[in-house]
Amino acid sequence: MLTSIRQRAIGSYVLLFGIFILLTLFHRWGLVNLLTVLLGSFWATVFLAWLTARRLITPVEQITSAAQEMAGGVLDTEIRVQGEHELDELAWSINYMARQLRKNLFLITEERNRARAILNSMADGVIALDKNGRVILINPVVESIFDIKEECWIGTELIKVIRNHELEQLFIRALQDMQPVLNNELQVLTPEPRLFRVQISPLKGAQHKKMGVVGLLTDVTERRKLEQMRTEFAANVSHELRTPLTSINGFVETLLDGAMEQPHVAKNFLEIIHTEGKRLANLIDDLLKLSRLEDRRTILHKQPVDLADIIHNTIKMFEGLAQDKNIELTEVIPSDLPPVPGDFGFLSQVIVNLVDNAIKYTLTGGKVNVEVTFNQQSITVTVSDTGIGISEESLPRVFERFYRVDKARSREMGGTGLGLSISKHIVEAHGGKIKATSSQEGSTFYFTLPLD
């Protein structure tokens, strides 16, 4: 094509030269004068220049302009020229290239969107670094965990984004060796301490060219907590069961060794055995109840429940114990309190557990108050006391199984350490939430139940 265009340009120059020679000969033969020769040459040059511009230069300029627009990303431009046949073919080829580029760009965009959707839907964090160790990709999970935005991490060194030296060293090691780094667990401040399992894999291009690394961060904090709780649960169950059994066995052996011959001593020992047996039975009952609640095997028999009625009965139940400790036991219940959908027996147990705990841990002369508030969406029951309070480090754990703020005092009062855990599962089974707050003036436990 270029050869043909070159030939046409040379042909124009030859034609122009031929016209000039012909006019010169006419002048020499006396057929035309010099002015005619000059004018003829001029107009021939103008005509050929116009013809060249129209058929060659203008189409080339149009093609060049359109090609520059395409290079800038405007692929919707269509080149339409009227010129030489070869230029028409060039324009068609560029238009075809633009259509193919649009098609490929669409496919690439679709692929990128799919990859982005997959990254956004992942529960694990993803961090990718280029071969120079700079961040090129972080998915929303990592942005949420470490509270960072894209403009803060793109093209930045990892240590400036996630300030953890151990994590940075794992990525650097993978980048240098271009070998996977698997199943490393480390603690990272996010800003709270979290435990992550880190797996890093190299990114390799054509001919194993080093392109960077990508790391997967799996949050295993809750899993490790559950494993620790499971271990502690087994140890606590063994301890809680062994304590009354050891006491029972000791007193039985003492009776068999001759204490039965002393009626007063034997009666005292039998009363202790009876108390420990009841404690053991209560512990087993609570364990079975908690197990069924956690496995969601307990079926709630929901019906409209009058919480005021439950609270009145609970207050009457503990009036004697409160009077013995000179504790003021009060209730504040709105007269227009609506019924709440729930299981009467389970909700009664929650209120009984909370009031029982409040009285146990309130010193003589203190106060325990049960108050109910409500709005259009929910009902809130609050049990507050002026007791010994709960330390700040113990407050987040009060609803754990077997967790006691004051272990000696709790055992002395016959507590199993499961009451609050059972209450939490009952409230959550009703779709509600239970929380606790504490200060030097005492503790407050409250739970909220939905009205629909």
Side-chain angles (χ1 to χ4, degrees):
M1 181 180 66
L2 291 176
T3 302
S4 177
I5 293 175
R6 190 180 295 111
Q7 290 174 351
R8 289 175 182 271
I10 293 172
S12 298
Y13 296 141
V14 171
L15 178 60
L16 181 60
F17 182 72
I19 292 174
F20 177 75
I21 294 297
L22 184 60
L23 290 174
T24 302
L25 292 175
F26 285 165
H27 170 66
R28 209 166 175 189
W29 293 335
L31 299 177
V32 294
N33 56 26
L34 181 60
L35 180 60
T36 304
V37 172
L38 294 176
L39 288 175
S41 299
F42 172 75
W43 287 114
T45 302
V46 169
F47 174 75
L48 289 176
W50 172 82
L51 188 62
T52 302
R54 182 174 180 276
R55 303 291 295 176
L56 185 62
I57 296 176
T58 300
V60 169
E61 289 177 347
Q62 293 175 352
I63 292 173
T64 302
S65 176
Q68 289 176 347
E69 290 183 5
M70 292 177 184
V74 183
L75 299 178
D76 295 332
T77 303
E78 287 282 341
I79 302 174
R80 300 183 181 278
V81 296
Q82 293 182 351
E84 301 296 335
H85 175 69
E86 293 80 1
L87 292 178
D88 291 340
E89 290 183 355
L90 176 61
W92 182 88
S93 299
I94 294 177
N95 289 336
Y96 177 75
M97 178 186 68
R99 287 193 293 270
Q100 291 300 111
L101 286 174
R102 284 200 300 270
K103 179 180 178 182
N104 293 336
L105 185 60
F106 175 79
L107 294 175
I108 292 172
T109 303
E110 287 290 303
E111 190 67 28
R112 184 192 63 185
N113 291 340
R114 279 195 291 269
R116 175 62 65 178
I118 293 172
L119 284 173
N120 292 348
S121 63
M122 289 180 64
D124 297 331
V126 177
I127 300 175
L129 307 183
D130 62 15
K131 62 181 180 181
N132 297 317
R134 298 188 177 273
V135 179
I136 57 175
L137 174 67
I138 283 181
N139 73 336
V141 173
V142 177
E143 292 181 340
S144 174
I145 291 174
F146 296 97
D147 192 23
I148 53 177
K149 297 181 179 179
E150 182 174 353
E151 57 267 19
C152 300
W153 58 256
I154 190 166
T156 308
E157 294 178 357
L158 183 61
I159 191 64
K160 296 180 180 179
V161 179
I162 302 173
R163 301 186 180 279
N164 186 281
H165 181 69
E166 292 182 71
L167 182 63
E168 183 198 28
Q169 289 302 311
L170 291 177
F171 273 90
I172 290 176
R173 192 176 81 192
L175 194 59
Q176 290 176 345
D177 300 340
M178 290 307 288
Q179 295 294 328
V181 176
L182 305 175
N183 298 325
N184 285 270
E185 289 191 3
L186 55 88
Q187 193 176 63
V188 180
L189 294 177
T190 64
E192 296 179 356
R194 284 193 180 185
L195 190 65
F196 289 94
R197 186 174 69 244
V198 182
Q199 302 183 77
I200 306 174
S201 301
L203 292 173
K204 297 180 180 180
Q207 299 178 350
H208 301 284
K209 183 179 179 181
K210 182 168 72 172
M211 297 180 62
V213 291
V214 60
L216 188 69
L217 278 65
T218 304
D219 190 345
V220 295
T221 308
E222 294 302 322
R223 186 181 306 173
R224 294 295 175 262
K225 283 184 179 179
L226 290 174
E227 291 174 356
Q228 182 180 357
M229 289 175 61
R230 189 182 298 115
T231 302
E232 291 178 354
F233 178 70
N236 287 330
V237 167
S238 301
H239 177 73
E240 296 293 338
L241 292 176
R242 185 173 62 247
T243 301
L245 286 174
T246 301
S247 179
I248 291 171
N249 287 334
F251 285 112
V252 168
E253 289 176 1
T254 304
L255 289 172
L256 292 175
D257 287 341
M260 291 182 63
E261 305 300 330
Q262 306 175 38
H264 178 72
V265 175
K267 182 181 179 182
N268 186 33
F269 283 4
L270 288 174
E271 287 177 350
I272 295 174
I273 291 172
H274 179 64
T275 301
E276 292 295 333
K278 286 175 61 178
R279 178 183 168 190
L280 190 60
N282 290 336
L283 177 60
I284 293 173
D285 287 342
D286 283 350
L287 283 171
L288 292 174
K289 190 177 299 181
L290 183 60
S291 175
R292 287 194 295 268
L293 285 168
E294 288 182 339
D295 292 343
R296 302 185 183 277
R297 289 180 292 166
T298 300
I299 300 175
L300 299 179
H301 300 286
K302 285 191 174 184
Q303 56 185 350
V305 175
D306 185 359
L307 286 179
D309 186 35
I310 294 177
I311 294 171
H312 292 327
N313 293 335
T314 304
I315 295 295
K316 289 181 181 179
M317 183 188 305
F318 288 100
E319 274 182 351
L321 181 60
Q323 289 176 0
D324 292 342
K325 296 184 65 176
N326 192 26
I327 292 175
E328 183 182 349
L329 184 58
T330 58
E331 61 181 62
V332 179
I333 304 174
S335 58
D336 56 343
L337 184 68
V340 60
D343 188 296
F344 183 89
F346 280 118
L347 293 180
S348 298
Q349 185 173 1
V350 173
I351 296 175
V352 167
N353 286 342
L354 296 180
V355 174
D356 185 27
N357 277 352
I359 293 176
K360 281 180 181 178
Y361 294 101
T362 298
L363 301 177
T364 302
K367 296 180 180 180
V368 173
N369 182 59
V370 182
E371 184 177 355
V372 183
T373 57
F374 71 95
N375 53 36
Q376 294 182 347
Q377 290 78 33
S378 61
I379 288 181
T380 300
V381 179
T382 304
V383 179
S384 56
D385 62 60
T386 58
I388 60 176
I390 304 171
S391 63
E392 186 176 350
E393 61 271 14
S394 297
L395 199 58
R397 301 189 61 188
V398 292
F399 294 104
E400 291 182 11
R401 298 169 292 185
F402 291 115
Y403 187 80
R404 295 184 176 93
V405 177
D406 187 342
K407 295 180 172 60
R409 185 182 181 89
S410 179
R411 289 197 180 93
E412 180 185 339
M413 296 177 177
T416 63
L418 296 173
L420 289 178
S421 182
I422 291 173
S423 299
K424 177 176 181 289
H425 281 85
I426 290 174
V427 171
E428 290 180 349
H430 282 79
K433 294 181 179 180
I434 186 169
K435 294 183 179 180
T437 59
S438 186
S439 64
Q440 294 180 350
E441 288 76 24
S443 303
T444 300
F445 286 81
Y446 59 94
F447 65 91
T448 301
L449 298 173
L451 283 174
D452 51 2

